[in-house]
Amino acid sequence: MVEKKYLPIWVFESASGQAVIRLYEGLQDMIKERRRDNPNYGEYFEWLYRKCKSKKRKPLKKDIATEHVQVRNYTSFLSQKELEEIGFCSYGTNVKISRYARIYSPEKIKIGDNVRIDDFCILSGKISMGSYIHISPYTCLIAGDYGITLKDFTTVSSRCAIYAVSDDYSGHSLTNPMISSPYRYPYGGEVILKKYSIIGSGSVVLPNVTIGKGSAVGAMSLVKTSVPKWTICAGVPCKKVKKRSKDLKKLENKMITEQKAGVKYMNILITGSNGFVGKNLAANLYCIKDGKNRTRDLTIDEIFEYDIDTEESLLDTYCEKADFVFNLAGVNRPKEQSEFMDGNFGFASKLLDTLKKHHNTCPVMLSSSIQATLIGRYGQSDYGKSKLAGEELFFEYGKECGAKVLVYRFPNLFGKWCRPNYNSAVATFCNNIANNLPIQVNDRATELELLYIDDLVEEMLDALEGKEHHCEYQELDPVADEAGRYCYVPTTHKATLGEIVDLLEAFKNQPKTLLIPEIPEDSFAKKLYSTYLSYLPKEEVSFPLKMNVDDRGSFTELLKTANCGQFSVNISKPGITKGEHWHNSKWEFFIVVSGHGLIQERKIGTDEVIEFEVSGEKIEAIHMLPGYTHNIINLSETENLVTVMWANEQFDPKHPDTFFEKVEEK
């Protein structure tokens, strides 16, 4: 009746119809796999599914919902109950065996902890596996009674074949298992893969072979004889290529130490990963993941980046696996006002529903805006209303599911990679001034509260470590409160548009004046300078310096500061003496970075000369003392002498404080 596509209507609307839907959806991955070889596979099953799907049905009963979960898991690895039913000699914890694998003589098979056996593998005979082992798809292990042993941390790649027993190919006997003795004479011997060994894809290992500890067999190799330890080999037949690194031992020790210490690797989901905040956060998380940043007590396994262009189905996977979610996705400049609610509320709802679907109650962070206060000039903001709706959605989700919810109301953001001419005045000013484009300032007195991207990222890392900062709001101002409903970044800056533009103009003029404005630690000016530099066009990244050149060499001013002096570089040709002057108040450092020289100093009114032989081979800083005439002599006959000089004040031609006097009379 199904083949003729004829069934009574009640079938589609019944509990049986519901079961068809659940079964088909649970087997979709298998059907897709089978259709690679047979495009018509499951055609009638699909027709039945679509028919049932199109009809109205009664609500599912509780027992049916439970059955649904079981069916949905049908395409995964075998359950614990199913593993027990196979009848292994023994098996450990965290054993994952594909239901598409085939196991023969399970009573002869021992499996340790943390073992994974993938789709379409065949295991037959006496097999012993240690822990942390992976057998990849389409691999065959034919052990017979001779045995195959896989020690800890071994890997067998896809489409490999390992034989502990084989037929005699000499022609003196028949050669398949349907032949009995005395007409068939199989031979064999135990195959052993020792600790840390790996077999490359498509390789064949013959009986009575031992793969030595830490050795690797290249893809498509034929292994007829044993492989020495810590060796990389490949070929037909397999031959030694080179030695293999022993770093695997250190990595194992590190892993075990972390496990004992209870270190948990995190999977982190970032929505809106292509945005300004998302890019900066992801870049810093990768530094932690890759071990480049060791300042944080975080261990990261995977970073899931999700944005508007990401395959939508991946959100489901990411939400299932995530241990922490940064929801940075949102709409700032829509074409229609209605898009605010769709982008800032609608997606948030979809994200939380997906987490609910997988019963994932990991911490979730929401990037909101100070506009969500709907106070003052934000009172009629559609953007603010959409953000507020998103906040309430997250708070309700936290109450319903018991998940930790972190809601941040960010003020105006700035920093590298921020999009100009979009929603950041600072980004626009930095970009336009750096690129010689006009800017418009309507009111120089307008004050902005500004949050620097690096400060924001540090707070996000604090949140990952469970050290987020909580607050409540008094109108637009966050007030620290450990029990506060909201979270905030403690460090922000306030500056007027006029102050911002003036600083940027000073940065712009720096190549001409060589003057670095005051940039105290953690100041807004310091952070703004970093931001400005990120917008420089490539032709502005370098700029020429004025070299004062004569027959003795050259002298070039490098950088000047308002209160901390200036830097210069002096180049002296072979045999040349420079200096021969003294200062009342000015002091300097001379630092020879290349060449071989002699620095001499003499206190005015005395005859004693103090000397310092200097070289680029041993870099040191020499004080030029106030009230001491001094010089520097290039002792080399062939090389220039290069000296970096720092003076405690800028050179003032009106008050040079520099007086000629030789150190030594010849």
Side-chain angles (χ1 to χ4, degrees):
M1 294 177 73
V2 174
E3 290 187 5
K4 293 181 179 180
K5 296 185 177 179
Y6 172 77
L7 282 174
I9 189 71
W10 62 265
V11 171
F12 304 117
E13 298 177 330
S14 67
S16 298
Q18 297 177 54
V20 167
I21 292 172
R22 295 193 301 275
L23 185 61
Y24 181 85
E25 291 177 347
L27 295 175
Q28 275 187 314
D29 291 342
M30 185 203 70
I31 293 170
K32 289 179 182 177
E33 182 71 26
R34 297 288 176 87
R35 281 180 174 175
R36 293 177 182 177
D37 299 321
N38 180 7
N40 298 321
Y41 182 85
E43 178 184 351
Y44 300 117
F45 191 9
E46 184 177 3
W47 170 80
L48 187 60
Y49 165 76
R50 296 188 184 281
K51 275 297 234 188
C52 294
K53 192 78 171 174
S54 66
K55 302 298 179 181
K56 292 182 178 180
R57 293 167 294 279
K58 297 178 180 179
L60 293 174
K61 296 180 180 179
K62 187 175 181 180
D63 60 330
I64 295 176
T66 303
E67 182 188 350
H68 171 63
V69 173
Q70 294 172 344
V71 173
R72 288 286 301 226
N73 290 335
Y74 185 75
T75 58
S76 64
F77 297 103
L78 296 172
S79 67
Q80 284 299 310
K81 183 179 179 182
E82 290 169 321
L83 286 173
E84 291 174 9
E85 292 173 349
I86 289 176
F88 288 114
C89 178
S90 64
Y91 69 93
T93 60
N94 192 30
V95 173
K96 297 181 178 181
I97 300 178
S98 166
R99 58 183 69 255
Y100 299 121
R102 292 292 177 262
I103 311 293
Y104 300 94
S105 303
E107 71 280 1
K108 298 180 181 179
I109 298 177
K110 298 178 180 179
I111 303 175
D113 301 328
N114 303 300
V115 174
R116 172 171 157 173
I117 301 171
D118 285 341
D119 295 348
F120 313 114
C121 290
I122 299 174
L123 281 72
S124 175
K126 183 182 176 183
I127 299 173
S128 178
M129 299 182 215
S131 297
Y132 297 102
I133 289 170
H134 181 208
I135 301 176
S136 305
Y138 298 99
T139 286
C140 250
L141 273 64
I142 310 300
D145 290 326
Y146 292 95
I148 296 174
T149 299
L150 283 70
K151 299 291 188 180
D152 296 348
F153 296 98
T154 53
T155 300
V156 184
S157 303
S158 61
R159 302 184 184 277
C160 288
I162 300 177
Y163 299 99
V165 60
S166 179
D167 280 299
D168 177 8
Y169 285 68
S170 67
H172 298 300
S173 64
L174 296 174
T175 58
N176 73 62
M178 303 307 295
I179 309 297
S180 59
S181 177
Y183 306 105
R184 179 183 180 229
Y185 301 103
Y187 78 97
E190 184 182 12
V191 175
I192 303 174
L193 275 64
K194 291 202 172 179
K195 195 173 183 180
Y196 308 125
S197 61
I198 179 170
I199 310 297
S201 297
S203 295
V204 177
V205 181
L206 297 182
N208 203 33
V209 163
T210 296
I211 308 297
K213 182 179 181 180
S215 289
V217 175
M220 307 299 291
S221 296
L222 174 63
V223 188
K224 299 169 60 178
T225 59
S226 294
V227 177
K229 63 183 180 180
W230 299 109
T231 298
I232 298 174
C233 64
V236 181
C238 194
K239 296 181 180 179
K240 179 180 177 181
V241 177
K242 62 179 181 180
K243 286 287 186 181
R244 193 177 184 211
S245 171
K246 297 181 181 180
D247 288 347
L248 297 169
K249 295 179 180 179
K250 298 177 183 177
L251 293 171
E252 179 194 359
N253 291 334
K254 182 181 178 188
M255 186 185 82
I256 299 301
T257 301
E258 288 180 347
Q259 288 177 343
K260 289 180 178 178
V263 176
K264 182 181 181 299
Y265 282 82
M266 301 179 72
N267 294 323
I268 299 170
L269 168 59
I270 306 172
T271 69
S273 57
N274 288 335
F276 167 45
V277 177
K279 286 181 180 178
N280 278 273
L281 177 59
N284 280 272
L285 288 175
Y286 279 115
C287 284
I288 295 172
K289 179 179 183 294
D290 297 338
K292 300 172 184 176
N293 179 358
R294 298 184 178 91
T295 64
R296 289 286 179 168
D297 187 23
L298 294 168
T299 48
I300 299 173
D301 187 16
E302 294 290 340
I303 300 168
F304 305 130
E305 298 185 52
Y306 188 87
D307 210 275
I308 192 169
D309 298 325
T310 308
E311 174 63 41
E312 191 172 344
S313 62
L314 289 175
L315 183 63
D316 192 77
T317 302
Y318 296 164
C319 284
E320 181 181 12
K321 297 181 178 179
D323 299 303
F324 197 106
V325 177
F326 291 102
N327 184 34
L328 308 176
V331 175
N332 294 311
R333 289 286 187 92
K335 294 180 180 178
E336 303 291 337
Q337 293 298 304
S338 61
E339 295 178 34
F340 277 130
M341 197 60 72
D342 292 339
N344 297 326
F345 176 81
F347 177 78
S349 183
K350 179 180 179 180
L351 171 68
L352 298 180
D353 285 344
T354 309
L355 290 169
K356 285 181 190 177
K357 172 185 171 183
H358 294 288
H359 306 288
N360 187 346
T361 58
C362 71
V364 289
M365 172 269 177
L366 173 66
S367 170
S368 187
S369 167
I370 196 65
Q371 295 192 36
T373 58
L374 301 180
I375 294 174
R377 66 180 185 274
Y378 306 133
Q380 302 301 315
S381 168
D382 289 325
Y383 175 71
K385 292 174 183 177
S386 69
K387 284 295 189 181
L388 181 60
E391 290 180 2
E392 294 303 322
L393 183 70
F394 267 67
F395 287 131
E396 286 300 315
Y397 169 79
K399 290 179 183 177
E400 178 186 347
C401 301
K404 185 178 183 179
V405 171
L406 309 175
V407 175
Y408 287 84
R409 287 176 166 177
F410 295 138
N412 299 281
L413 305 180
F414 75 104
K416 64 183 184 299
W417 308 338
C418 188
R419 181 178 171 185
N421 303 304
Y422 188 58
N423 64 342
S424 168
V426 173
T428 301
F429 289 166
C430 285
N431 176 76
N432 288 18
I433 290 174
N435 289 275
N436 300 308
L437 298 172
I439 62 170
Q440 181 177 340
V441 180
N442 295 325
D443 184 358
R444 285 178 55 88
T446 299
E447 187 177 68
L448 301 179
E449 184 179 11
L450 297 157
L451 172 57
Y452 184 51
I453 188 62
D454 287 8
D455 294 326
L456 190 159
V457 169
E458 286 300 309
E459 173 65 20
M460 297 299 97
L461 300 181
D462 283 344
L464 275 176
E465 294 179 341
K467 303 174 185 175
E468 69 278 357
H469 296 83
H470 286 267
C471 72
E472 291 292 350
Y473 275 88
Q474 291 184 359
E475 296 187 338
L476 297 175
D477 298 319
V479 179
D481 184 343
E482 291 184 2
R485 189 187 196 203
Y486 293 90
C487 297
Y488 77 115
V489 182
T491 303
T492 61
H493 303 273
K494 291 186 177 180
T496 66
L497 293 179
E499 290 169 341
I500 296 169
V501 171
D502 290 345
L503 277 169
L504 291 174
E505 293 291 354
F507 302 157
K508 175 71 173 179
N509 292 327
Q510 191 272 329
K512 299 176 183 176
T513 64
L514 302 182
L515 182 63
I516 300 289
E518 288 191 59
I519 45 176
E521 185 64 26
D522 206 36
S523 65
F524 171 66
K526 181 179 179 180
K527 298 169 183 179
L528 184 64
Y529 203 170
S530 295
T531 303
Y532 167 78
L533 291 175
S534 71
Y535 291 91
L536 280 179
K538 63 180 182 181
E539 57 270 18
E540 299 286 341
V541 174
S542 69
F543 56 92
L545 296 171
K546 182 184 178 185
M547 296 180 65
N548 299 289
V549 181
D550 58 25
D551 56 1
R552 302 175 302 160
S554 66
F555 179 83
T556 306
E557 292 181 320
L558 299 179
L559 296 171
K560 300 178 182 180
T561 67
N563 299 307
C564 297
Q566 70 174 54
F567 288 91
S568 309
V569 61
N570 180 74
I571 300 176
S572 302
K573 292 182 178 181
I576 293 296
T577 299
K578 285 190 175 182
E580 305 279 46
H581 59 241
W582 63 278
H583 316 290
N584 279 308
S585 298
K586 183 187 297 184
W587 73 89
E588 301 166 301
F589 284 122
F590 283 12
I591 305 166
V592 170
V593 296
S594 180
H596 180 206
L598 179 69
I599 295 174
Q600 296 178 309
E601 299 185 59
R602 176 177 59 82
K603 186 177 180 180
I604 299 299
T606 69
D607 296 326
E608 182 184 3
V609 176
I610 55 178
E611 296 183 336
F612 305 91
E613 192 169 349
V614 290
S615 164
E617 300 296 319
K618 182 186 177 183
I619 297 178
E620 54 189 322
I622 311 297
H623 284 283
M624 298 300 107
L625 305 173
Y628 280 69
T629 186
H630 50 270
N631 63 24
I632 182 166
I633 305 168
N634 187 348
L635 298 178
S636 173
E637 296 180 356
T638 57
E639 292 183 78
N640 286 341
L641 182 69
V642 181
T643 307
V644 175
M645 299 176 173
W646 173 83
N648 71 303
E649 61 187 40
Q650 293 184 47
F651 179 74
D652 183 355
K654 295 180 180 180
H655 302 282
D657 189 16
T658 301
F659 310 99
F660 175 78
E661 184 166 336
K662 289 190 175 195
V663 177
E664 288 184 319
E665 295 292 338
K666 303 297 184 182

